[in-house]
Amino acid sequence: MEWRGQGTVIAHRPHGENAALVEILSLDQGRVAGLVPGGGGRRKAAMVQPGNRVSALWRARLADQLGTLTLEPGAPRPGLMGDAAALDGINATAALLRFALPERDPHPRLAEASEALWDRMDAGENWAADYVRWEMLLLDEMGFRLDLTRCAVTGARSGLCYVSPRTGRAVTQDGAGEFATRLLPLPGLLGGPPGAREIPDALAITGHFLRLWLAQGHVGRPLPAARDRLVSRLVRAG
């Protein structure tokens, strides 16, 4: 079995004296893991840092084996290591990808969005809103789409201002009625009215459904702590 392609490193950990177990996210193969001989040494240390793009050759005798990865450096992203927020960002996105994605299960839309988000982080741009949209896409790709286009009660497409924490569907003020205090505020970023807490409210929505549907209902483990660290940073900044 053999696969050759491009990807971005999303994890590496030492294995034995000089090797490393490395995971990459690729467009056509999804999350690919393999043993990199020499990956634990100084010569390859920079290349296997999360966020760096690489050219990869994966080989295994059988499809269900771990296999080995031969990596060549691609375009580095030095900005991810030089900025605390960007470092939290790559750590959180990489941890969530490892948490959610089965191995070798392609998700091209998510891979493309991840690459674009990491490029913005690397460039030092304002990427908080892009990260919220990335979490929405992660939910969608895992089969947990939120319906924020119309009111679940009245069917209206305008005046949306809440989200049901049970169904993930949007609700208007009239539709919410006396239950408004039990619903999640829908920020302008996700189709609700503009407000001062756009990023915190949006992250509260994605976080709720990541925990409820993905972590508790699907994976059976708590969300990675790296997401909590990033959200704390973004909430303080926003």
Side-chain angles (χ1 to χ4, degrees), residues 196-221:
R197 289 180 49 83
E198 294 280 310
I199 298 299
D201 285 348
L203 289 170
I205 290 172
T206 55
H208 173 79
F209 292 105
L210 284 170
R211 285 187 292 271
L212 179 66
W213 289 346
L214 181 62
Q216 297 175 19
H218 183 64
V219 179
R221 301 195 313 272

Side-chain angles (χ1 to χ4, degrees), residues 5-68:
Q6 311 291 317
T8 291
V9 177
I10 57 173
H12 84 284
R13 57 186 183 274
H15 183 82
E17 292 186 3
N18 199 38
L21 291 172
V22 175
E23 297 183 38
I24 64 174
L25 179 69
S26 70
L27 188 68
D28 58 342
Q29 289 292 313
R31 182 171 67 89
V32 179
L35 185 68
V36 178
R42 289 185 179 181
R43 189 170 64 86
K44 295 184 179 180
M47 180 177 63
V48 297
Q49 291 300 311
N52 282 339
R53 284 169 287 212
V54 294
S55 296
L57 171 62
W58 178 88
R59 285 195 179 106
R61 190 170 63 85
L62 299 173
D64 59 354
Q65 290 182 322
L66 174 65
T68 60

Side-chain angles (χ1 to χ4, degrees), residues 111-222:
E112 289 180 347
S114 299
E115 295 288 351
L117 177 59
W118 294 330
D119 283 342
R120 295 206 67 184
M121 291 177 179
D122 178 53
E125 300 176 13
N126 186 348
W127 45 265
D130 298 271
Y131 176 76
V132 171
R133 298 185 188 100
W134 183 88
E135 288 199 335
M136 291 282 290
L137 179 59
L138 177 65
L139 282 165
D140 190 8
E141 288 287 304
M142 295 298 101
F144 306 120
R145 173 176 290 187
L146 277 67
D147 183 0
L148 306 181
T149 59
R150 66 174 68 195
C151 177
V153 179
T154 68
R157 292 184 176 271
S158 61
L160 304 173
C161 52
Y162 300 108
V163 178
S164 165
R166 184 176 63 85
T167 66
R169 299 184 65 187
V171 183
T172 61
Q173 186 71 55
D174 289 342
E178 62 185 83
F179 298 102
T181 57
R182 303 182 188 180
L183 305 179
L184 301 168
L186 180 65
L189 177 60
L190 299 181
R197 289 180 49 83
E198 294 280 310
I199 298 299
D201 285 348
L203 289 170
I205 290 172
T206 55
H208 173 79
F209 292 105
L210 284 170
R211 285 187 292 271
L212 179 66
W213 289 346
L214 181 62
Q216 297 175 19
H218 183 64
V219 179
R221 301 195 313 272

